[in-house]
Amino acid sequence: MLANAPVNRRIVLVERPASGFEARHFGLMEAPAAEPGPGQFRVRLTHISLDPAMRGWVTAMRSYLPPVEIGETMRALGAGLVETSNHPDFPIGAAVSGLFGVQDYAISDGAGVEHLDAAAAPLQTWLGGLGMPGNTAYFGLLDVGQPKPGETVVVSAASGAVGQIVGQIAKIKGARAVGIAGGAAKCKALIDQFGYDAAVDYKDPAFAMNLKAACPNGVDVIFENVGGVVMDRTLALINKGARIALCGLISMYNAEQPVPLSNLVYVLRMSARIQGFIVFNYRDRYDEARAQMLDWYRTGQLRFVEDVREGGVAAFPSVVPLLYSGGNMGKLVLKV
Ligand SMILES: NC(=O)c1ccc[n+]([C@@H]2O[C@H](COP(=O)([O-])OP(=O)(O)OC[C@H]3O[C@@H](n4cnc5c(N)ncnc54)[C@H](OP(=O)(O)O)[C@@H]3O)[C@@H](O)[C@H]2O)c1
């Protein structure tokens, strides 16, 4: 290690939360940044992606990735620039993204790391619409939801990283897009910024009635990000042969008692299909999504909103809880 190595600050998990994230669940460590070995490179992170999945990653339950262990650097997707390199495919200055963790500097051998086109879009956008959330919207809607022109697509957490894009793709494909979000300001943004045909506030006591009014022809596709009561009320409106793309269940991530679904019976009566999916299943097709999303973005058919927070790595414990209280609008990103 060089004597003049920069300081790397990183966030480690110190305790598994029983419900929501609190500052005491994390610790801040500082040490000189490691030097890359043969075949490795060092990335100086510029942005860290904050994702609802983080709550699942710190839980010791069976999942698609092993849990983050106590004392380990908190897992996170990030973007940055290669600063020092012993790897021919990742020269100094290259813009990259990968699972670099919540830290200032990451060492990598290139496994799972993607090159980013910094001229096409800012790095923060490569963590949002042109990155994992964009891929989630693209494959979840088109592969799992399969909307047809004229059908009604209902999207929950519709103003968030994934939801804002699902509605726009649904519109591109000729469907009617109905978004669900918390509060009047977010519902206004669904219409004004993200092109939804209708917006429904799930915090309004008349939510179920308003949702029904917003879907006069019933619901053909549910892009489910929330679960619980929001999902249950939407299930009551599904048409025969509806597809439910189960993307996320954020209302349940911190809940000690999950809300039972009383309207599951409509899945049976309407011969509907519920399918869960994880974006990483589609890794082999990311190039397809990236090319299409870039084209829609360049031609102005897709717009992406990022909610970029300052404060660097040390701010992670105070910023990540925003995801679970509706404190973000668009893709939540921490600037390093
Ligand atoms: N399957 C996959 O591969 C995959 C990949 C990425 C994301 N996801 C899932 O997709 C969902 C959205 O992720 P995202 O990254 O786009 O996050 P996001 O929507 O940008 O942020 C989370 C939003 O969820 C809403 N929310 C939080 N707690 C809620 C509750 N108790 N009830 C109702 N709404 C609540 C809030 O919006 P309001 O203000 O509207 O309440 C909040 O802003 C999450 O469930 C996530 O786990 C899945």
Side-chain angles (χ1 to χ4, degrees), residues 2 7 31 63 105 108 119 136 160 165 174 207 209 216 240 246 252 255 266 312 319:
L2 296 178
V7 172
S63 191
Y105 296 91
S108 172
T136 304
I165 301 167
F207 167 60
M209 201 178 72
K240 186 159 182 225
L246 187 52
M252 295 161 74
Y266 290 101
V319 177

Side-chain angles (χ1 to χ4, degrees), residues 117 120-121 126 130 289-299:
D117 182 353
W126 288 104
L130 295 175
R290 179 178 290 204
Q292 179 62 85
M293 300 288 279
L294 249 181
D295 183 56
W296 283 333
Y297 175 65
R298 284 187 173 129
T299 54

Side-chain angles (χ1 to χ4, degrees), residues 197-221:
D197 294 298
V200 187
D201 177 1
Y202 72 87
K203 292 180 177 167
D204 188 318
F207 167 60
M209 201 178 72
N210 294 342
L211 184 63
K212 190 172 180 192
C215 304
N217 299 322
V219 176
D220 303 291
V221 177

Side-chain angles (χ1 to χ4, degrees), residues 41-304:
F41 55 94
R42 185 167 76 200
V43 179
R44 169 80 175 95
L45 274 92
T46 58
H47 299 86
I48 293 171
S49 174
L50 303 190
D51 294 290
M54 287 173 154
R55 181 62 188 81
W57 292 344
V58 302
T59 304
M61 273 171 74
R62 203 163 56 88
S63 191
Y64 56 95
L65 284 175
V68 177
E69 296 299 343
I70 301 295
E72 224 183 300
T73 304
M74 181 61 199
R75 180 182 293 142
L77 284 162
L81 301 172
V82 174
E83 197 195 49
T84 314
S85 182
N86 300 318
H87 195 307
D89 299 338
F90 295 93
I92 291 172
V96 291
S97 70
L99 275 172
F100 295 136
V102 183
Q103 55 184 343
D104 294 314
Y105 296 91
I107 299 289
S108 172
D109 61 5
V113 174
E114 293 185 51
H115 282 278
L116 309 179
D117 182 353
L123 294 195
Q124 64 195 47
T125 303
W126 288 104
L127 293 179
L130 295 175
M132 184 277 287
N135 288 341
T136 304
Y138 180 90
F139 292 113
L141 182 65
L142 300 182
D143 245 58
V144 184
Q146 300 178 5
K148 296 175 193 62
E151 286 191 334
T152 298
V153 176
V154 171
V155 184
S156 54
S159 73
V162 175
Q164 60 167 298
I165 301 167
V166 177
Q168 295 181 75
I169 300 178
K171 294 288 295 172
I172 290 170
K173 294 293 175 184
R176 177 178 150 74
V178 178
I180 301 174
K186 284 192 175 183
C187 286
K188 187 171 181 325
L190 291 185
I191 306 279
D192 296 348
Q193 291 190 49
F194 304 126
Y196 275 90
D197 294 298
V200 187
D201 177 1
Y202 72 87
K203 292 180 177 167
D204 188 318
F207 167 60
M209 201 178 72
N210 294 342
L211 184 63
K212 190 172 180 192
C215 304
N217 299 322
V219 176
D220 303 291
V221 177
I222 303 177
F223 193 102
E224 188 54 60
N225 285 321
V226 166
V229 173
V230 171
M231 178 175 181
D232 203 38
R233 298 295 181 267
T234 317
L235 283 176
L237 303 173
I238 57 175
N239 292 328
K240 186 159 182 225
R243 287 80 65 201
I244 296 126
L246 187 52
C247 176
L249 294 166
I250 195 165
S251 71
M252 295 161 74
Y253 296 170
N254 294 328
E256 283 154 36
Q257 281 297 322
V259 175
L261 293 178
S262 56
N263 286 323
L264 200 57
V265 69
Y266 290 101
V267 175
L268 170 66
R269 289 181 186 161
M270 295 298 135
S271 305
R273 167 169 60 81
I274 299 186
Q275 185 184 328
F277 72 97
I278 295 294
V279 64
F280 301 137
N281 300 348
Y282 291 93
R283 203 170 267 132
D284 293 348
R285 290 177 55 196
Y286 281 178
D287 285 351
E288 167 199 328
R290 179 178 290 204
Q292 179 62 85
M293 300 288 279
L294 249 181
D295 183 56
W296 283 333
Y297 175 65
R298 284 187 173 129
T299 54
Q301 292 177 83
L302 271 189
R303 59 176 302 178
F304 307 128

